[in-house]
Amino acid sequence: MAEISYRRHRFPPVVIQHTVWLYLRFTLSYRDVEDLLAERGLDISYETVRSWVLKFGPVIARRLRRHRPRPSNRWHLDEMVVRIAGERMYLWRAVDHEGEVLDMLVQRRRDCRAALRLMRKLLKKQGFVPKLLVTDKLRSYAAAFRRLRLTCPHKQGLRSRVDDWRGSLRLARLYCYRRLSPVPVSQFAP
């Protein structure tokens, strides 16, 4: 992978990286990041923050993702209803048993095809089959599980770890505000 080039930028790489990290790590707007930097004596406009996030964000996120430890082998899957631009959508989420986010996906439907797409994406991204899969009682999970011919145990109806995950509704609202169309969420997600 190519090295990130900070040439022709007025600020040093450490400031740019910290600015991008602030925006991606916390639920802050570009103007909030601008205010935080102003408190530290840095005069950086919110438009500059936006351009840095768009330019350096995906590269920094990929780099961080590569150095993460492998997630545990117990996965929890769940879905929830969100409104994006006034339209009803489903935010499908997957976390491991320690609460580490594995992936997210936005779909228009709550059916077997959507569950299958999430599971395939997870298996491809993680590169291994979990030892245990925990879901709610939605039958779509069981159907997708059978179609993939997974051999690991599948427990349904248990309280999912996803429900505890960082205030689910807060994240869903953040997702809806930042992205108004159902595009791949995993651009910055782990």
Side-chain angles (χ1 to χ4, degrees), residues 105-119:
L105 184 69
V106 174
Q107 295 286 298
R108 294 185 189 282
R109 298 183 183 268
R110 188 175 168 226
D111 57 4
C112 177
R113 210 166 131 205
L116 193 60
R117 185 170 179 198
L118 175 69
M119 287 183 174

Side-chain angles (χ1 to χ4, degrees), residues 49-178:
V49 173
R50 186 186 69 77
S51 68
W52 287 350
V53 167
L54 292 175
K55 181 176 182 180
F56 299 112
V59 177
I60 291 171
R62 266 195 310 271
R63 211 181 251 178
L64 289 172
R65 220 177 284 130
R66 227 183 17 218
H67 295 295
R68 289 183 112 176
R70 184 177 172 176
S72 74
N73 54 15
R74 287 186 283 169
W75 297 351
H76 298 257
L77 281 68
D78 194 16
E79 78 290 334
M80 68 181 292
V81 178
V82 293
R83 289 217 176 264
I84 300 176
E87 194 174 333
R88 185 182 185 161
M89 306 290 273
Y90 293 95
L91 177 66
W92 296 74
R93 304 163 296 169
V95 299
D96 68 359
H97 83 283
E98 295 169 350
E100 251 338 279
V101 180
L102 300 174
D103 213 342
M104 292 182 284
L105 184 69
V106 174
Q107 295 286 298
R108 294 185 189 282
R109 298 183 183 268
R110 188 175 168 226
D111 57 4
C112 177
R113 210 166 131 205
L116 193 60
R117 185 170 179 198
L118 175 69
M119 287 183 174
R120 279 189 180 137
K121 187 176 176 191
L122 272 172
L123 292 170
K124 182 178 179 184
K125 185 176 179 182
Q126 299 304 325
F128 67 95
V129 177
K131 287 192 177 172
L132 175 67
L133 199 62
V134 179
T135 63
D136 56 15
K137 291 184 180 179
L138 183 66
R139 291 185 203 170
S140 302
Y141 290 118
F145 194 82
R146 281 191 305 273
R147 285 185 66 186
L148 288 173
R149 295 187 179 123
L150 296 175
T151 57
C152 64
H154 177 211
K155 295 195 177 188
Q156 285 187 299
L158 299 176
R159 186 169 188 278
S160 178
R161 177 80 179 163
V162 181
D163 297 333
D164 301 333
W165 172 62
R166 295 189 203 160
S168 314
L169 294 174
R170 188 176 135 254
L171 176 86
R173 281 193 211 106
L174 168 69
Y175 176 78
C176 293
Y177 291 143
R178 286 204 181 157

